[in-house]
Amino acid sequence: MQNDQSIESPRVTDSEIQRCVAEGEAAFEQLVRKYSAIVFNTALRRLNNRLLAEDVTQSVFIILHQKLLRLSRDVSVLGWLIRATRFVADRAATAEARRHANEMRAMEQLEISSEPDTTEHVLPLVGEAIIHLKPKEQRCVVA
């Protein structure tokens, strides 16, 4: 497994930022292609879940796109992406754990509500109780 610190850290220069602004999506797509595997693998190592890692990768690049103009000229894109990936992956892991806990509680509730039907046990008692009612009361209960 490769350590995150051993990856060469290219610098974003003012011209790269300006290029992303000037050329728009085409330049940003190049950044995404350049770093998407690193972001995905960082997320995958953190989450051990390919689908969540894909979601995290998309989220990180959305955040990068939103913050591109505010990044410092000397920021390391790779460093920023790895930090952002760790943060987003940790939040995704927390949300996934919460979702799993909610599903387990729902399953427990479902198991409780699917216990043997009590009507089988209650119906004979209700029938016997109806017999002891006055005819007028019996009609109200049966209707």
Side-chain angles (χ1 to χ4, degrees):
M1 185 184 306
Q2 191 174 15
N3 188 349
D4 291 342
Q5 286 80 18
S6 67
I7 300 171
E8 187 178 324
S9 179
R11 293 278 189 197
V12 171
T13 65
D14 187 39
S15 63
E16 285 178 301
I17 293 172
Q18 288 176 354
R19 193 172 135 238
C20 282
V21 172
E23 296 178 22
E25 296 304 313
F28 186 75
E29 285 176 16
Q30 281 185 317
L31 280 177
V32 171
R33 279 194 297 275
K34 184 175 182 179
Y35 295 108
S36 61
I38 294 169
V39 170
F40 174 78
N41 288 325
T42 300
L44 184 59
R45 280 193 306 274
R46 207 135 178 110
L47 298 167
N48 199 28
N49 180 318
R50 292 188 77 77
L51 292 176
L52 275 179
E54 289 172 1
D55 290 345
V56 166
T57 301
Q58 288 180 351
S59 295
V60 167
F61 283 108
I62 289 170
I63 294 167
L64 176 62
H65 191 268
Q66 293 168 342
K67 294 187 174 192
L68 195 58
L69 292 175
R70 294 181 297 220
L71 290 177
S72 166
R73 290 180 183 183
D74 294 329
V75 72
S76 162
V77 172
L78 182 58
W80 186 93
L81 286 170
I82 289 173
R83 282 189 305 278
T85 301
R86 288 177 178 163
F87 176 76
V88 174
D90 289 349
R91 292 192 67 180
T94 300
E96 182 68 12
R98 189 177 300 120
R99 183 192 60 76
H100 181 70
N102 288 339
E103 286 178 358
M104 294 304 289
R105 279 194 295 275
M107 289 299 292
E108 289 170 2
Q109 291 297 322
L110 185 61
E111 288 173 6
I112 290 170
S113 66
S114 66
E115 288 182 0
D117 195 4
T118 56
T119 56
E120 295 174 6
H121 306 290
V122 175
L123 280 178
L125 299 173
V126 171
E128 190 174 319
I130 289 174
I131 291 172
H132 297 296
L133 294 174
K134 296 177 186 171
K136 187 176 183 180
E137 293 169 338
Q138 286 179 353
R139 283 191 299 269
C140 290
V141 172
V142 174

